[in-house]
Amino acid sequence: GQNIDQPTEMTATEGAIVQINCTYQTSGFNGLFWYQQHAGEAPTFLSYNVLDGLEEKGRFSSFLSRSKGYSYLLLKELQMKDSASYLCAVLEANQAGTALIFGKGTTLSVSS
Amino acid sequence: DSGVTQTPKHLITATGQRVTLRCSPRSGDLSVYWYQQSLDQGLQFLIQYYNGEERAKGNILERFSAQQFPDLHSELNLSSLELGDSALYFCASSPSTGGYTFGSGTRLTVV
């Protein structure tokens, strides 16, 4: 089974930095993903961590600590278009196969 | 265009009816996943198929079933529909390992 927790909502202003935290409890951990989803649209891939540490990709970075069951997504130089839901997801492996299990998402509102 | 194609984009139907949602994965991807997203629940994993075989099951109701065909497209069948089944249904595909690519979804409204 799995339990993935992230804040429901966050607000920030343009140009700022925001960190979205995610904690998880799962068996068969096979990696952690972050997705961005605008309302009514498909989730789009942002980042993937399987080893501990920081992965940087332009304005977005993601961190993983497997021993703590913790990840964060860091968004720098925020823009209005970054207003969206950010989904933390754990790739869980078991005897049957693997499945990407999502948290409920964090709705980020960026204001000017 | 993500390469994952879902049809139809919108579907309105009455309670008690049955519908079929269709998904074509990205070229070369063998795995197909179905998810349900309602306003208060987030993305819920329903079922996975790999190269035609069922691989993993999540919170899928007995009224729901799926299959993957030899050409790798997949169909999700929803029967005896209830108001609470109204949601966005997403299909995703992936190669044998790696991240998932999502289709644009089917918005199902049950009235």
Side-chain angles (χ1 to χ4, degrees):
Chain A
Q2 70 289 319
N3 189 29
I4 302 171
D5 289 313
Q6 49 182 130
T8 305
E9 292 180 338
M10 297 184 73
T11 58
T13 53
E14 263 187 312
I17 299 173
V18 71
Q19 177 174 312
I20 303 174
N21 296 323
C22 171
T23 58
Y24 64 89
Q25 292 176 312
T26 184
S27 53
F29 178 84
N30 229 26
L32 189 135
F33 290 76
W34 284 94
Y35 279 78
Q36 180 192 61
Q37 186 180 27
H38 287 96
E41 297 182 9
T44 55
F45 170 80
L46 288 179
S47 69
Y48 170 58
N49 296 69
V50 66
L51 299 176
D52 289 353
L54 188 68
E55 293 283 340
E56 296 186 82
K57 212 187 218 184
R59 294 191 298 117
F60 293 2
S61 305
S62 57
F63 172 83
L64 175 67
S65 168
R66 288 171 298 169
S67 62
K68 295 182 179 177
Y70 169 68
S71 173
Y72 68 72
L73 179 69
L74 194 70
L75 294 79
K76 303 175 188 174
E77 300 168 17
L78 281 172
Q79 303 173 11
M80 298 290 284
K81 67 177 183 179
D82 297 329
S83 294
S85 183
Y86 291 86
L87 311 175
C88 173
V90 172
L91 189 61
E92 187 174 88
N94 56 39
Q95 288 178 335
T98 59
L100 197 57
I101 307 301
F102 286 83
K104 290 192 176 183
T106 298
T107 300
L108 174 66
S109 299
V110 180
S111 58
S112 56
Chain B
D1 181 8
S2 68
V4 179
T5 304
Q6 287 189 249
T7 56
K9 290 196 183 309
H10 302 277
L11 200 48
I12 302 175
T13 190
T15 54
Q17 295 299 303
R18 172 190 168 96
V19 297
T20 297
L21 312 183
R22 183 189 166 103
C23 169
S24 294
R26 281 190 325 173
S27 177
D29 286 356
L30 299 179
S31 284
V32 169
Y33 309 80
W34 286 97
Y35 286 82
Q36 179 193 56
Q37 188 174 40
S38 51
L39 278 173
D40 57 344
Q41 284 298 318
L43 269 169
Q44 297 287 309
F45 169 65
L46 296 178
I47 198 163
Q48 177 205 359
Y49 278 82
Y50 177 83
N51 204 21
E53 293 187 4
E54 182 185 303
R55 269 290 177 93
K57 247 182 179 177
N59 301 320
I60 187 166
L61 299 171
E62 285 191 11
R63 299 184 285 109
F64 296 0
S65 65
Q67 53 186 329
Q68 186 179 29
F69 295 87
D71 66 353
L72 300 179
H73 91 270
S74 177
E75 292 181 356
L76 179 67
N77 301 296
L78 315 176
S79 61
S80 302
L81 284 167
E82 302 175 359
L83 295 178
D85 297 328
S86 296
L88 263 171
Y89 290 84
F90 286 104
C91 167
S93 73
S94 75
S96 54
T97 58
Y100 295 15
T101 301
F102 283 81
S104 57
T106 293
R107 181 174 294 281
L108 173 67
T109 303
V110 183
V111 297

